[in-house]
Amino acid sequence: MRIFVAGATGAVGSFLLPKLIRAGHEVIGITQSESKKSIIENTGAKALIADVFDREAIRSALAESQPEVIIHQLTSLSSRNFSDNTRIRIEGTQNLVDAALLAGVKRIIAQSISWAYEPGERPATEDVSLHVVAEEPRKSTIDGILALESAVTQIPQYVILRYGMLYGPNTWYEHNGFMAEQIHQMQVPATEGVTSFLHVEDAAEVALLALQWPSGAVNIVDDDPARGIDWLPVYAQAVGAPIPETLSNSNAWERGASNRKARQEYGWKPLYPTWRTGFTDSLNQL
């Protein structure tokens, strides 16, 4: 297939493009930076310069490339620019969808998150409602996710990948990443809050597999939702940081997510089934 990848040079995109090329697809990746064109081209994909906030540029890119599928992996998390990330999810996604509809694109695969569900005591399944009544600072994240997921449903066939917390190369959890720095500085306490993790290569592999999946949202998380008091000491040890302080509090929405649908209905098996070994494995690769 001819596939248009938005977010082609990001953490997921850098794993995804080679997988798509090896699978025999024709790939067009966009970047807003001339200096990053070679990163895309070195994978065997075609590179186009386009800013997702420039409606005409995105329309031109899609009109030129005429893809059959769009894979939306755009974020602004490497610089921790949360307001820009929300803007990408709202404005950027709508620009992409509008351009896709004009170009006659019939299928889209989009990155979402698995910690946008309403509070609960058990890992959330896809049947659980998103946390539409969240208050700030969480509200802006939820508003962005609600807008993104609503926009992509305008495309006839859509798959929403609700990823777990990404770790691995070029994420916050690499050796010199944001989380590693914070934990070295004892800025992150271990709590009872539950997180579902996902290795970034699993995120890319699923985006490839989702080319054949039915429309809908699906949690893409590992098999092992974990309390902070369980995972944080393991990660701290893996990066050589001090053992974090332990606190008894947590947020009610920190419940983790279930991957039962992806495993049982779609036959997905994560390459990294648990953070318990995944943290160390991924850090040793760097």
Side-chain angles (χ1 to χ4, degrees):
M1 289 183 281
R2 185 179 298 113
I3 301 171
F4 184 96
V5 180
T9 61
V12 178
S14 61
F15 275 99
L16 176 59
L17 261 61
K19 289 178 180 289
L20 293 171
I21 295 294
R22 286 196 297 270
H25 300 294
E26 180 184 349
V27 182
I28 304 96
I30 62 166
T31 176
Q32 60 180 336
S33 172
E34 185 74 33
S35 64
K36 291 185 177 180
K37 280 186 69 176
S38 62
I39 297 174
I40 296 172
E41 293 169 342
N42 287 342
T43 69
K46 179 181 179 180
L48 294 178
I49 302 295
D51 185 337
V52 74
F53 296 130
D54 185 334
R55 291 175 60 85
E56 291 307 316
I58 290 296
R59 287 181 180 182
S60 295
L62 282 166
E64 175 184 342
S65 55
Q66 288 293 302
E68 298 163 80
V69 182
I70 292 174
I71 300 181
H72 175 3
Q73 296 283 358
L74 286 164
T75 68
S76 184
L77 293 174
S78 60
S79 59
R80 302 189 301 280
N81 189 333
F82 299 112
S83 60
D84 200 37
N85 199 53
T86 296
R87 186 184 173 210
I88 285 173
R89 287 171 171 162
I90 298 173
E91 182 181 337
T93 302
Q94 193 61 61
N95 288 346
L96 198 58
V97 167
D98 289 344
L101 292 170
L102 284 174
V105 178
K106 302 299 185 185
R107 186 171 185 83
I108 188 168
I109 297 163
Q111 177 187 143
S112 187
I113 58 174
S114 65
W115 58 96
Y117 291 107
E118 65 185 12
E121 296 181 358
R122 297 179 179 179
T125 66
E126 294 82 356
D127 296 329
V128 174
S129 297
L130 299 184
H131 196 186
V132 294
V133 295
E135 298 180 354
E136 292 294 359
R138 178 165 162 80
K139 183 179 185 299
S140 59
T141 295
I142 302 301
D143 286 348
I145 290 301
L146 290 169
L148 180 149
E149 295 196 1
S150 175
V152 300
T153 62
Q154 297 171 48
I155 305 295
Q157 301 170 28
Y158 61 91
V159 181
I160 297 166
L161 302 174
R162 291 177 177 166
Y163 287 154
M165 186 66 69
L166 295 178
Y167 70 93
N170 300 314
T171 71
W172 288 359
Y173 288 81
E174 64 180 344
H175 267 297
N176 297 317
F178 173 66
M179 285 299 295
E181 293 176 0
Q182 291 290 99
I183 291 168
H184 272 286
Q185 296 169 15
M186 299 290 288
Q187 296 297 307
V188 183
T191 73
E192 295 282 344
V194 177
T195 298
S196 282
F197 286 98
L198 181 72
H199 192 283
V200 67
E201 186 173 2
D202 272 314
E205 183 70 17
V206 163
L208 170 64
L209 297 175
L211 293 170
Q212 307 299 329
W213 287 0
S215 290
V218 57
N219 292 335
I220 304 299
V221 298
D222 75 13
D223 299 339
D224 197 4
R227 299 176 302 170
I229 59 174
D230 295 323
W231 73 260
L232 196 49
V234 173
Y235 177 74
Q237 183 177 24
V239 296
I243 298 300
E245 176 188 8
T246 298
L247 298 178
S248 60
N249 67 312
S250 65
N251 295 304
W253 52 265
E254 293 181 290
R255 59 187 295 181
S258 167
N259 66 12
R260 182 189 57 79
K261 179 179 178 179
R263 271 190 164 278
Q264 295 185 6
E265 297 183 23
Y266 299 168
W268 175 61
K269 295 181 179 179
L271 302 170
Y272 296 82
T274 173
W275 53 271
R276 296 177 193 274
T277 52
F279 284 163
T280 302
D281 289 348
S282 65
L283 290 165
N284 287 340
Q285 293 172 4
L286 301 177

